[in-house]
Amino acid sequence: MRKYFLLSVVTLLSATNVMAEALNSSVQVNAKVEYVTDMTCTPLNFGTIYLKSGNSESTLDLYGMTTTGNIVEVDGASIGQCNFNPVYDEDGEPDTPNYMLSGVDSDMGSVILHSGAEDTIYIDNIRVHGDGKIYAKLTIEGDVPAQSYSGSFSITVLQ
């Protein structure tokens, strides 16, 4: 009986070792390096915006200088302009270049402008045209304090 017990223990131990397996794989690694040339851009300037007191949400879109809400007047607004080689379509019209923005809130797709107080102004719908012109839409939430607001973002144009 003892002989059969030892035989069964040896059989179990050898069967356990046979059932163990090891996994092995190789991982492919890739990297691509691109060179960039510095470019300069003029400020995206929304100027001085005159609002009615107790305003509701209002917007100023630099593309067409259109406004909504309680904006009474805008003074000194101008689009941004970057110096890169223009990108044109087959008809000779400025075409949208391939570009990346950084410094933009990934959840909202916007740049929050800061004043030191609660942030209630932001830009979104940022567009870079093939001729280097930059447009965006400024949104002013209701009852904003009268003060200066500022922010920034970076553009990388891939050509």
Side-chain angles (χ1 to χ4, degrees):
M1 182 81 146
R2 183 192 250 173
K3 177 166 78 171
Y4 293 115
F5 176 75
L6 286 174
L7 184 62
S8 63
V9 169
V10 170
T11 304
L12 280 174
L13 288 174
S14 64
T16 305
N17 288 341
V18 170
M19 297 184 79
E21 81 179 66
L23 302 174
N24 183 24
S25 179
S26 62
V27 176
Q28 183 67 35
V29 178
N30 297 309
K32 183 177 180 181
V33 175
E34 294 277 349
Y35 290 102
V36 297
T37 302
D38 286 335
M39 67 178 174
T40 58
C41 299
T42 61
L44 193 58
N45 185 1
F46 288 91
T48 302
I49 301 165
Y50 298 95
L51 293 169
K52 293 179 183 176
S53 294
N55 72 293
S56 60
E57 183 175 285
S58 303
T59 64
L60 166 59
D61 195 334
L62 292 180
Y63 190 78
M65 296 295 179
T66 58
T67 63
T68 64
N70 298 123
I71 295 176
V72 176
E73 187 175 334
V74 177
D75 184 35
S78 61
I79 63 172
Q81 178 73 45
C82 292
N83 67 334
F84 58 83
N85 293 330
V87 178
Y88 297 105
D89 63 15
E90 57 275 353
D91 296 327
E93 296 295 319
D95 198 8
T96 302
N98 188 9
Y99 65 93
M100 298 180 300
L101 301 175
S102 55
V104 176
D105 182 287
S106 58
D107 294 332
M108 293 177 51
S110 62
V111 177
I112 297 172
L113 304 185
H114 302 280
S115 65
E118 186 176 325
D119 301 314
T120 54
I121 293 181
Y122 62 91
I123 64 168
D124 61 1
N125 201 14
I126 301 166
R127 302 172 303 280
V128 179
H129 287 212
D131 55 4
K133 294 178 180 169
I134 307 168
Y135 300 91
K137 181 179 79 174
L138 176 77
T139 300
I140 305 166
E141 295 179 355
D143 292 323
V144 298
Q147 56 193 340
S148 294
Y149 294 83
S150 64
S152 67
F153 61 94
S154 296
I155 300 171
T156 302
V157 178
L158 307 172
Q159 293 189 314

